[in-house]
Amino acid sequence: MKIQLIRNATLVVQYANKKFLIDPFLAEKGAYPAFPNSLRQDQRNPLVQLPMPTNKIIDQVDAVIVTHLHLDHWDEVAKEVLPKEIKMFVQNDDDAKEIQNAGFHNVEVLEENTVFEGIHLTKTKGEHGRGDILKLAGLVCGIVFRHQSEKTLYVAGDTVWYDGVQDVIETHHPDIIVVNGGDNQFLEGGSLVMGKDDIYEVCKAAPHAKIISVHMEAVNHWTLSRNELKGFIKEKGISSNVLVPDDGDSYLFE
């Protein structure tokens, strides 16, 4: 298994000899306005450039997984550059219809026992915030990857720590967990994705897993930097458990 952070939550995952592209956010730096009612209103999204050409990112992708349709997970450039016949996995029928309306015709809704080329894909629940903000944030999902030749991978998606994440860990015993850890927030409503305390809870729930924190410093409403997270995990003594990649970094798990 090879996991590469592209930017934000966009990942390329090589798993059981298949290449998955997750949450493609492929625009040039500054292509979109800042998310409103949040920090850095003077900066356009994405805040940073892609670490490699788009054609290299999408080359020989076997399947795309879109955890939800927020702009920073599925953008106009992704709609333009991805082949319309490519296999697409989404969280529900509503998202499937939207992606089909964009011209894609090989769209499948993830279930608890989806199988793709011998790889078991399990849709997991997430909570994109806490309290009232959940209604605004909408539905999201994560994915567990399982195959007899690979370690178990859990891509948690846009979720905070809550009992549903703990349930996934207790049920699937993932060896690698990817969390969206930028503690992104609007000016009101609290965390939309994991902050450092959430990541610490993941560590405690899965002490033998490697945790990779992504979705950092790429869109204007982030509040947790890579440096702050690195300082926190060092202070907690979990630096060997938590990986904080820069855009373009990759990890190999055998």
Side-chain angles (χ1 to χ4, degrees), residues 43-95:
Q43 298 182 38
R44 291 175 61 87
N45 291 320
L47 303 181
V48 294
Q49 190 55 275
L50 287 168
M52 64 195 70
T54 305
N55 60 354
K56 184 175 179 183
I57 296 167
I58 69 173
D59 183 44
Q60 296 185 318
V61 166
D62 294 292
V64 179
I65 300 174
V66 179
T67 63
H68 64 299
L69 300 184
H70 287 171
L71 175 72
D72 59 330
H73 296 255
W74 173 246
D75 75 341
E76 295 302 317
V77 177
K79 295 174 192 177
E80 290 170 10
V81 302
L82 286 167
K84 294 300 186 283
E85 69 277 5
I86 199 166
K87 183 70 179 183
M88 303 282 300
F89 289 104
V90 297
Q91 65 168 333
N92 56 32
D93 288 335
D94 288 343
D95 286 13

Side-chain angles (χ1 to χ4, degrees), residues 174-186:
D175 303 288
I176 297 99
I177 304 172
V178 180
V179 299
N180 292 352
D183 201 2
N184 297 57
Q185 302 185 24
F186 296 113

Side-chain angles (χ1 to χ4, degrees), residues 1 4 7 33 39 47 52 62 64 86 93 95 97 100-101 128-129 140 143 158 160-161 185-186 195 197 204 252:
M1 183 194 332
Q4 182 174 34
R7 179 185 62 191
L39 298 174
L47 303 181
M52 64 195 70
D62 294 292
V64 179
I86 199 166
D93 288 335
D95 286 13
K97 286 175 186 172
Q100 286 165 341
N101 288 340
H128 200 350
V140 296
I143 320 99
D158 267 7
V160 295
W161 170 261
Q185 302 185 24
F186 296 113
D197 292 326
K204 290 191 288 186
L252 193 63

Side-chain angles (χ1 to χ4, degrees), residues 123-139:
K123 179 175 67 177
T124 63
K125 293 178 181 178
E127 294 205 343
H128 200 350
R130 297 181 176 95
D132 292 343
I133 198 75
L134 275 173
K135 295 175 186 175
L136 176 66
L139 296 175

Side-chain angles (χ1 to χ4, degrees), residues 127 130 154 156-162 165 169 177-184 191-202 211 213-216 223-224:
E127 294 205 343
R130 297 181 176 95
Y154 171 30
D158 267 7
T159 185
V160 295
W161 170 261
Y162 77 113
V165 175
I169 291 170
I177 304 172
V178 180
V179 299
N180 292 352
D183 201 2
N184 297 57
S191 302
L192 294 163
V193 296
M194 292 195 189
K196 55 191 179 184
D197 292 326
D198 300 77
I199 295 168
Y200 189 43
E201 291 299 326
V202 175
I211 296 161
S213 181
V214 302
H215 201 307
M216 304 192 78
T223 70
L224 176 62

